[in-house]
Amino acid sequence: MIELAELIEELRRELTAARTAAQGEDLYFEVGPVELEAAVVVERSATAGGKIRFWVVETGADGRMADSVTHRVKLTLDPRTRSGGGRAPWVGDDEAEGER
């Protein structure tokens, strides 16, 4: 299991890697909304002021998850870049950014 925050961070790394790998390519894409659906287990720690965590689970997870209730969560993320002035990023040629 991984925390939902880790899943989103990995998605950010993958999108960044795709942009880096595509530099200099003639064909490029604008990154639109990203839909992410996951099965999660919600856990609250027993300590005072306990933190709530969302753990992403694999489909068909067994063992520890047998006594837990899973929930389906759907997130829609709309990627933006600080360097692009808050616009949607491109995956492809850097010169394409000037064409918008």
Side-chain angles (χ1 to χ4, degrees):
M1 290 191 313
I2 65 168
E3 287 191 46
L4 185 58
E6 289 177 78
L7 176 67
I8 294 171
E9 178 58 32
E10 185 57 33
L11 175 61
R12 180 183 293 114
R13 278 193 291 272
E14 289 292 326
L15 288 172
T16 299
R19 290 186 72 199
T20 301
Q23 287 179 351
E25 294 291 334
D26 184 48
L27 180 66
Y28 59 91
F29 305 95
E30 181 175 284
V31 178
V34 176
E35 290 189 2
L36 194 63
E37 188 170 329
V40 298
V41 172
V42 181
E43 175 185 273
R44 179 185 292 244
S45 60
T47 61
K51 181 178 178 182
I52 294 176
R53 289 191 165 148
F54 293 84
W55 297 97
V56 178
V57 296
E58 266 185 66
T59 304
D62 55 357
R64 184 175 158 201
M65 293 300 107
D67 296 331
S68 300
V69 177
T70 60
H71 306 274
R72 299 212 56 79
V73 174
K74 183 175 181 180
L75 303 172
T76 301
L77 307 173
D78 197 7
R80 300 286 181 222
T81 60
R82 293 183 203 289
S83 61
R87 295 181 304 208
W90 291 90
V91 175
D93 195 353
D94 289 342
E95 292 179 17
E97 294 217 18
E99 297 175 12
R100 288 196 247 186

